[in-house]
């Protein structure tokens, strides 16, 4: 409770052979939890004084609300990347060459070996340079003909059935292929906009 989410980790089960006229053997799994601490509270705040709003025909609050929303989204993206990149243990290819089709296939093989479900939950996050590389060199496997309304936010295409996302926040020329069970993100509240008129400052505060 409070500022900690406790996420249960359900273990894989094993089978037990049953003999005729004998009772079944009940499993007694001992499960664990992952504690996810909620300790980040980024914000963007503006003050629009009356002498400024009186001189412009534009709705400054609406304009900067979009800019602030982008900054918050970028901060969330950066936090996810920073947390994820700390625990990756398998590699394929090198940081000095573009992703090739054999490297992509080998990366998928590593997830297969780890029993990561392949029908759903896998994602590939790539650099802008690799998005261009995919379009030029892996285009026969690179599908951009997806239904936008049904696609996750930020998805640019799919390759071998895996959703592909592009991010400018990746560093060290490293791209990431993973299953959603690898990492978690918790948000106690969605980003929102709060406004108030501050009389002693003669202006509207937007946070």
């Amino acid at each position: 409770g409070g500022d900690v989410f406790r996420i249960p980790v359900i273990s894989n089960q094993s089978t037990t052979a049953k003999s005729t006229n004998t009772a079944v053997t009940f499993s007694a799994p001992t499960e664990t939890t992952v504690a996810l601490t909620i300790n980040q509270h980024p914000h963007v705040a503006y003050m629009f004084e009356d002498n400024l709003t009186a001189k412009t025909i534009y709705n400054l609050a609406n304009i900067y609300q979009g800019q602030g929303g982008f900054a918050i989204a970028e901060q969330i993206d950066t936090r996810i990347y920073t947390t994820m990149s700390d625990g990756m243990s398998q590699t394929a290819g090198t940081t000095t060459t573009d992703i090739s089709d054999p490297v992509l296939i080998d990366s998928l093989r590593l997830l297969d070996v780890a029993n990561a479900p392949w029908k759903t939950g896998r994602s590939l996050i790539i650099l802008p340079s690799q998005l261009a590389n995919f379009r030029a060199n892996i285009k026969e496997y690179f599908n951009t003909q997806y239904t936008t309304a049904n696609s996750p936010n930020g998805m640019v295409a799919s390759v071998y059935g895996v959703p592909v996302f592009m991010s400018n926040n990746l560093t060290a020329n490293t791209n990431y292929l993973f299953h959603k069970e690898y990492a978690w993100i918790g948000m106690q509240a969605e980003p929102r906009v709060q406004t108030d008129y501050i009389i002693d400052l003669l202006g509207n505060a937007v946070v």
Side-chain angles (χ1 to χ4, degrees), residues 105-162:
I105 292 173
D106 190 44
S107 300
L108 293 168
R109 178 191 64 81
L110 291 172
L111 287 183
D112 294 337
V113 171
N115 287 326
W118 62 271
K119 282 191 175 181
T120 60
R122 294 186 180 188
S123 296
L124 174 63
I125 304 179
I126 59 176
L127 292 154
S129 61
Q130 293 309 303
L131 179 58
N133 167 53
F134 275 32
R135 287 168 173 161
N137 301 312
I138 314 184
K139 54 189 175 184
E140 61 266 35
Y141 311 104
F142 193 60
N143 181 20
T144 58
Q145 304 303 314
Y146 55 85
T147 303
T148 302
N150 297 327
S151 300
N153 188 31
M155 178 179 168
V156 295
S158 66
V159 61
Y160 289 119
V162 176

Side-chain angles (χ1 to χ4, degrees), residues 41 63 83 159:
H41 195 173
I63 294 173
T83 301
V159 61

Side-chain angles (χ1 to χ4, degrees), residues 4-11 32-40 76-85 88 121 178-187:
V4 177
F5 289 168
R6 302 192 184 279
I7 303 170
V9 179
I10 307 302
S11 60
T32 60
T33 61
V34 172
L36 183 61
T37 302
I38 309 300
N39 58 3
Q40 303 293 316
I76 294 171
D77 191 50
T78 300
R79 289 295 305 175
I80 294 173
Y81 161 69
T82 302
T83 301
M84 284 182 49
S85 60
M88 293 284 185
F178 59 94
H179 189 268
K180 66 180 182 180
E181 293 182 1
Y182 167 72
W184 295 272
I185 177 174
M187 297 178 66

Side-chain angles (χ1 to χ4, degrees), residues 42-62:
H43 74 278
V44 179
Y46 305 101
M47 169 61 69
F48 302 105
E49 295 189 13
D50 289 349
N51 65 346
L52 175 62
T53 55
K55 298 173 184 176
T56 180
I57 62 173
Y58 300 105
N59 188 327
L60 296 177
N62 282 349

